[in-house]
């Protein structure tokens, strides 16, 4: 199972008195009052070998579904346009680590019929939404094989009356818009040099973008051996104890 952190415990069964989340009448006003930047970054303050470990989004690139990893290292809300988030991060594809910068632009918020992993009192007060957005992530043009990622993104989150925000997470394979992990990106990558395009998708849980592949990712009843057809497509990287995110300098691209 590919994931950036352990999945939350299965929430208690919802109760009938949980209020429905109302629609957002004024999306810009909501975003001005509730900064979603930490959620897009999915900063869970994880530690690994003494280093702060960013949330790694896993997914696929191209028709073969070759493995790709993405981290959003910095997300800043635009002061003048609260629906625009300026981002920096890095991709890892076939051992190449490439910095990028770009934007995530929220276009809509809708009520979400989901029950966040909270205690019963908080869950009864939580309002749950899914944010839909466009993203443009431009890799460092001086890097070999660089290009631009464009597409749509989904963010499933909850809001508590005190203002606390959090990702809505369920077990991988959930039918929530973002697939259970809270974040999902789908789109295309286009080469700067050739203009060639490839389909790409990445999420907190790779099962959200590759549900069929996950069924035969391993061989054997207990899943001890990675299926060779996925090993050759770099999926073994997802289980390697390789702190690639800590070894490469952070991108120097300006927001």
């Amino acid at each position: 199972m590919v994931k950036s952190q352990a999945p939350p415990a299965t929430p208690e069964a919802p109760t009938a008195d949980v209020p429905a989340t109302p629609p957002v009448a004024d999306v810009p006003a909501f975003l001005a009052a509730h900064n979603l930047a930490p959620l897009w970054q999915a900063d869970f303050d994880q530690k690994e070998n003494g280093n702060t470990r960013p949330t790694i989004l896993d997914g696929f690139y191209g028709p073969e579904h070759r493995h790709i990893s993405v981290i959003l290292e910095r997300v800043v809300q635009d002061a003048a346009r609260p629906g625009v988030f300026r981002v920096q991060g890095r991709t890892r594809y076939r051992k190449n680590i490439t910095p990028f910068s770009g934007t995530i632009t929220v276009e809509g918020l809708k009520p979400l019929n989901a029950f966040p992993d909270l205690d019963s009192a908080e869950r009864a007060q939580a309002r749950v939404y899914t944010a839909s957005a466009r993203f443009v992530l431009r890799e460092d043009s001086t890097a070999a094989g660089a290009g631009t990622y464009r597409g749509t993104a989904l963010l499933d989150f909850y809001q508590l009356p005190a203002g606390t925000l959090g990702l809505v997470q369920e077990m991988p394979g959930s039918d929530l818009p973002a697939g259970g992990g809270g974040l999902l990106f789908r789109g295309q990558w286009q080469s700067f040099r050739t203009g060639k395009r490839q389909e790409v998708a990445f999420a907190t849980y790779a099962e959200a973008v590759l549900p069929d592949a996950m069924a035969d990712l391993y061989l054997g009843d207990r899943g001890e051996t990675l299926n060779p057809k996925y090993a050759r497509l770099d999926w073994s990287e997802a289980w390697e104890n390789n702190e690639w995110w800590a070894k490469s300098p952070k991108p120097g691209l300006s927001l």
Side-chain angles (χ1 to χ4, degrees):
M1 182 185 302
V2 180
K3 52 188 180 296
S4 296
Q5 64 279 323
T10 302
E12 302 170 14
T15 57
D17 59 351
V18 175
T21 298
V24 176
D26 189 339
V27 173
F30 181 97
L31 295 173
H34 305 92
N35 185 1
L36 303 184
L39 301 185
W40 287 115
Q41 192 170 357
D43 183 4
F44 300 109
D45 195 27
Q46 303 167 97
K47 301 292 184 181
E48 188 170 309
N49 296 331
N51 293 313
T52 299
R53 181 184 188 276
T55 293
I56 300 171
L57 307 179
D58 285 296
F60 76 84
Y61 170 95
E64 290 186 305
H65 293 167
R66 189 175 288 275
H67 178 250
I68 188 172
S69 293
V70 179
I71 52 175
L72 302 178
E73 297 177 283
R74 188 181 179 205
V75 182
V76 177
Q77 186 180 42
D78 189 295
R81 296 176 294 166
V84 177
F85 299 85
R86 303 192 180 280
V87 304
Q88 290 180 339
R90 280 175 287 166
T91 60
R92 187 195 195 204
Y93 174 68
R94 304 187 75 171
K95 306 297 184 182
N96 292 323
I97 300 171
T98 309
F100 64 76
S101 66
T103 57
I104 298 171
T105 304
V106 174
E107 297 185 315
L109 291 172
K110 293 183 179 179
L112 180 62
N113 183 20
F115 299 90
D117 185 31
L118 301 166
D119 62 45
S120 57
E122 288 185 319
R123 191 167 60 242
Q125 302 179 71
R127 294 183 172 184
V128 188
Y129 302 95
T130 185
S132 56
R134 290 179 292 106
F135 70 88
V136 180
L137 309 176
R138 297 179 179 86
E139 292 180 309
D140 180 355
S141 61
T142 64
T148 299
Y149 297 84
R150 300 176 187 271
T152 59
L154 295 171
L155 168 67
D156 298 340
F157 71 98
Y158 65 82
Q159 172 205 3
L160 296 179
T164 302
L165 302 176
L167 292 179
V168 175
Q169 294 183 286
E170 295 184 356
M171 296 298 291
S174 163
D175 60 359
L176 293 180
L183 288 172
L184 187 152
F185 294 76
R186 288 188 184 275
Q188 290 187 329
W189 174 88
Q190 184 173 17
S191 168
F192 288 141
R193 185 176 65 85
T194 67
K196 183 178 180 180
R197 298 173 184 266
Q198 296 282 11
E199 297 295 318
V200 66
F202 45 91
T204 318
Y205 298 148
E207 291 87 335
V209 295
L210 275 177
D212 296 335
M214 292 297 147
D216 64 347
L217 190 64
Y218 286 111
L219 297 178
D221 292 338
R222 297 186 180 181
E224 291 91 349
T225 306
L226 185 68
N227 190 324
K229 76 176 182 179
Y230 291 110
R232 73 175 180 82
L233 298 175
D234 307 322
W235 280 95
S236 58
E237 293 176 352
W239 291 267
E240 292 176 356
N241 187 24
N242 183 349
E243 298 180 0
W244 63 268
W245 40 268
K247 296 174 182 176
S248 179
K250 290 187 177 182
L253 304 175
S254 174
L255 292 180

